[in-house]
Amino acid sequence: MVDHRRDGSGSKKGIVIAILVVLILLVIAWAAGLFDVDTQGELTAPEISVDGGSLPNVNADVADIDVGTKTETVEVPTIDVNSAEADAE
């Protein structure tokens, strides 16, 4: 049975495929010498300078949290472990 629901995923795939085809054709055209890109000058990264700043003045009123300790007694179960040799005897 064929699912005829339209969720738009087919059109998204079509757009991606079309973009890939255009990019591949551009690479092939460039490799074949159909167009040439000339550049002048030297490629350098821009210089960036950062001057010092200041942090904002923030006053925060937070709740008081009291952390305390108390002693509790916890019963720990005992475990008997028998080796396989002891079980065979």
Side-chain angles (χ1 to χ4, degrees), residues 8-85:
S9 64
S11 63
K12 291 177 188 175
K13 289 179 184 176
I15 292 172
V16 170
I17 290 172
I19 291 172
L20 288 175
V21 167
V22 168
L23 288 176
I24 291 170
L25 290 175
L26 285 173
V27 169
I28 291 172
W30 179 71
L34 296 178
F35 67 92
D36 189 20
V37 178
D38 290 328
T39 60
Q40 296 176 352
E42 186 176 321
L43 178 63
T44 59
E47 292 184 22
I48 299 174
S49 64
V50 178
D51 294 331
S54 63
L55 294 175
N57 186 13
V58 177
N59 293 324
D61 293 328
V62 296
D64 291 332
I65 300 174
D66 294 327
V67 178
T69 61
K70 66 179 184 176
T71 304
E72 290 287 329
T73 303
V74 178
E75 292 185 29
V76 179
T78 58
I79 300 174
D80 293 330
V81 178
N82 298 326
S83 65
E85 294 173 359

